Amino acid sequence: MPRLQVVSVVDAIADDLRARILRGELEPGTALTEADIASTYEVARPTGKAATEQLVRDGLLVRGNHRSARVVELGPDDVRDIYRTRAHLEREVLRRLARERTDVPAARAANAEIAALVDGSTLDVVAPDMRFHTALVDALGSPRTTRMYRSLVTEVTLCMARVQGRGLLDNASIAREHALILDLVTAGDGDGAAALLDEHVGRARERLVRALGGTPGPEADLPPR
Amino acid sequence: MPRLQVVSVVDAIADDLRARILRGELEPGTALTEADIASTYEVARPTGKAATEQLVRDGLLVRGNHRSARVVELGPDDVRDIYRTRAHLEREVLRRLARERTDVPAARAANAEIAALVDGSTLDVVAPDMRFHTALVDALGSPRTTRMYRSLVTEVTLCMARVQGRGLLDNASIAREHALILDLVTAGDGDGAAALLDEHVGRARERLVRALGGTPGPEADLPPR
DNA sequence: CACCTCTCGATTGTCTAGCAAGTACACCGA
DNA sequence: TCGGTGTACTTGCTAGACAATCGAGAGGTG
């Protein structure tokens, strides 16, 4: 039995809003009142409220007491924090995967998709790229780690969506680096994989920060040793 | 201006329920219907529902579709996962703090409280112990890392509450280890601090697993190198 | 006696309607 | 121009209700 997945109305609305924000359809700073959401999706206000709360949890919306929620505006500091936290998590994941020389077929599959996108828009590379990284984390089999990473994924995706279409990404070289990381993991070289990932993620981070007009990170937080 | 903090009704209810679960007042497996919560706190059902959802997010309650929420029952696997994930996070935090030789006064203060509890019950050591560890994480100044760690803290506290009062903890030696970790950090020895923390947390983990009737962890996941 | 089915109670999901409380902003007077 | 006031908008919370769904027990069948 295919074990089907039911989504509640609230989840469906939250998913749609999430997608619209990530597509850039709703620009940063846009106000989203509960009543707005309720009317556009033709549901009651409490339903819209619940959807809003999900997105606030995800970090895609920000809201104060009795104030309408607005689409988050990510500054250079946020981008740095997101990417550093992300690197921390993935680094440890790679080290543990390497200790058992775990192969991650799902990650290889996602990477193949990236390599196949020879001339796709930079938008198309975001989804498989996130799949690649989440596949690595999921391979650990730790529900809590997966949960924590998932809370970062939406923010990372939002970062990438902000600079999409500026030709900053070269999917061929991305795919090469990904493949190399996987090879190092299966070879048991956790430190090597972690270092390469640090470089990989760190480069993406600085690219994003520059694109957002921030000053290039003064502190090199690359390999700790 | 004292910048006062208002808590909504929902938050207040969630806080109280959280405290009751952590005190062991609500045993694992206890069913908590939305209507129950609403009537005991004399609020409307949606309010109780919102509080339930908070606790489900925290991992203190589990619930399926159209099923009443129940207090989570943590098995040996859960304890191991929680403590391992926690160790991952804290390890990286210590390494980064050590790189700048950061001193963390809040952690020292919390540790002083632990040391002062010469003959307190094991219950009393839980709160300052958690304060010690969260102070370390907060010292990093990374909102995302703090957020992720907070999502683990309640589960960790629940773990400790489950075995409290069995005389498993020796606060004097705990305080000693904590102090040593802090010293290693200010001395710039991140790897040493991380290794010591691994041992510290790992010992607590195995103690908990044994107390819960699990088999002692076969895989030693202590120092990766 | 074992097993399957079906109905029923309990619980949650969602809605309508509405009041209270808080915030932001424009307006008005000094 | 500046400061206070008022109003509109939005959220927090309540009350009551109906539909959808799940679990368990009653009841029938082999």
Side-chain angles (χ1 to χ4, degrees):
Chain A
M1 187 166 52
R3 184 187 270 305
L4 41 86
Q5 177 91 1
V6 301
V7 289
S8 71
V9 176
V10 175
D11 289 340
I13 293 176
D15 287 346
D16 190 65
L17 281 175
R18 212 187 323 265
R20 284 173 62 189
I21 293 174
L22 293 178
R23 269 200 308 267
E25 207 171 308
L26 297 169
E27 295 192 3
T30 308
L32 277 178
T33 72
E34 299 176 354
D36 277 347
I37 297 174
S39 71
T40 60
Y41 291 98
E42 293 182 324
V43 295
R45 186 161 69 91
T47 308
K49 179 192 185 67
T52 304
E53 280 162 357
Q54 279 199 24
L55 296 179
V56 169
R57 274 208 316 270
D58 286 347
L60 291 183
L61 297 182
V62 289
R63 177 170 62 162
N65 272 1
H66 294 99
R67 313 218 9 213
S68 29
R70 292 176 314 129
V71 179
V72 67
E73 312 187 55
L74 292 177
D77 288 344
D78 293 305
V79 172
R80 260 195 280 269
D81 187 41
I82 292 168
Y83 269 66
R84 261 189 216 141
T85 308
R86 176 195 170 182
H88 282 201
L89 265 181
E90 293 193 44
R91 215 155 36 205
E92 284 288 336
V93 167
L94 290 182
R95 287 217 182 89
R96 291 209 36 187
L97 290 179
R99 221 176 316 157
E100 322 226 328
R101 294 175 153 73
T102 312
D103 189 36
V104 188
R108 292 204 183 270
N111 200 33
E113 282 186 60
I114 296 176
L117 288 176
V118 279
D119 56 350
S121 87
T122 43
L123 184 150
D124 297 327
V125 85
V126 173
D129 186 69
M130 293 318 299
R131 266 205 298 281
F132 172 83
H133 290 278
T134 51
L136 285 175
V137 175
D138 290 349
L140 235 195
S142 160
R144 271 84 185 175
T145 306
T146 296
R147 189 179 71 191
M148 293 195 318
Y149 193 71
R150 228 167 265 296
S151 82
L152 276 178
V153 162
T154 53
E155 290 191 288
V156 173
T157 310
L158 183 58
C159 286
M160 300 178 81
R162 285 279 165 272
V163 294
Q164 78 193 4
R166 303 199 193 177
L168 291 171
L169 307 171
D170 171 13
N171 32 9
S173 62
I174 289 177
R176 245 195 325 272
E177 284 194 353
H178 284 179
L180 190 48
I181 289 176
L182 287 175
D183 289 342
L184 285 171
V185 166
T186 53
D189 183 3
D191 286 334
L196 185 54
L197 178 104
D198 255 331
E199 215 183 313
H200 179 68
V201 173
R203 235 184 347 253
R205 166 166 53 80
E206 290 308 319
R207 214 159 38 211
L208 277 172
V209 169
R210 267 200 309 277
L212 287 175
T215 63
E219 348 82 281
D221 61 351
L222 289 188
R225 77 202 58 212
Chain B
M1 188 170 52
R3 185 183 257 320
L4 40 85
Q5 177 87 6
V6 300
V7 288
S8 72
V9 177
V10 175
D11 288 340
I13 294 176
D15 287 345
D16 190 64
L17 282 175
R18 211 189 324 265
R20 285 173 62 191
I21 294 174
L22 293 179
R23 271 200 306 270
E25 206 171 308
L26 297 169
E27 294 191 5
T30 308
L32 277 178
T33 71
E34 299 176 355
D36 278 347
I37 297 174
S39 71
T40 58
Y41 291 97
E42 293 182 323
V43 294
R45 186 162 71 89
T47 307
K49 179 191 186 66
T52 305
E53 281 163 357
Q54 279 199 21
L55 296 178
V56 169
R57 275 207 314 272
D58 287 347
L60 291 182
L61 298 182
V62 287
R63 178 170 63 161
N65 273 1
H66 295 97
R67 311 249 350 236
S68 26
R70 292 177 309 127
V71 179
V72 67
E73 312 188 55
L74 292 176
D77 288 343
D78 293 305
V79 173
R80 259 194 281 268
D81 187 42
I82 291 168
Y83 270 66
R84 260 188 218 143
T85 308
R86 176 194 169 183
H88 282 201
L89 264 182
E90 294 193 42
R91 216 158 32 208
E92 284 287 337
V93 167
L94 290 182
R95 287 215 182 90
R96 290 209 37 186
L97 290 179
R99 223 177 315 158
E100 323 227 328
R101 295 175 151 73
T102 313
D103 189 36
V104 189
R108 293 205 183 270
N111 200 34
E113 282 185 59
I114 297 176
L117 288 176
V118 281
D119 56 349
S121 88
T122 42
L123 184 149
D124 297 326
V125 85
V126 174
D129 187 69
M130 292 318 299
R131 265 205 299 281
F132 172 83
H133 290 279
T134 50
L136 285 175
V137 175
D138 290 348
L140 235 194
S142 160
R144 272 83 186 176
T145 306
T146 296
R147 190 179 71 192
M148 294 194 318
Y149 193 71
R150 229 167 263 299
S151 82
L152 276 177
V153 162
T154 54
E155 288 190 290
V156 172
T157 309
L158 183 59
C159 287
M160 299 178 82
R162 283 281 164 269
V163 294
Q164 77 194 5
R166 302 198 193 178
L168 290 173
L169 307 172
D170 171 12
N171 31 9
S173 61
I174 290 177
R176 243 193 328 272
E177 284 194 351
H178 283 179
L180 190 49
I181 289 176
L182 287 176
D183 289 342
L184 286 171
V185 166
T186 53
D189 184 3
D191 286 334
L196 186 54
L197 178 105
D198 256 329
E199 215 183 313
H200 178 68
V201 173
R203 240 192 334 262
R205 167 166 52 82
E206 289 308 319
R207 215 159 37 212
L208 277 172
V209 168
R210 268 200 308 276
L212 287 175
T215 62
E219 349 81 278
D221 63 350
L222 289 189
R225 76 202 56 211

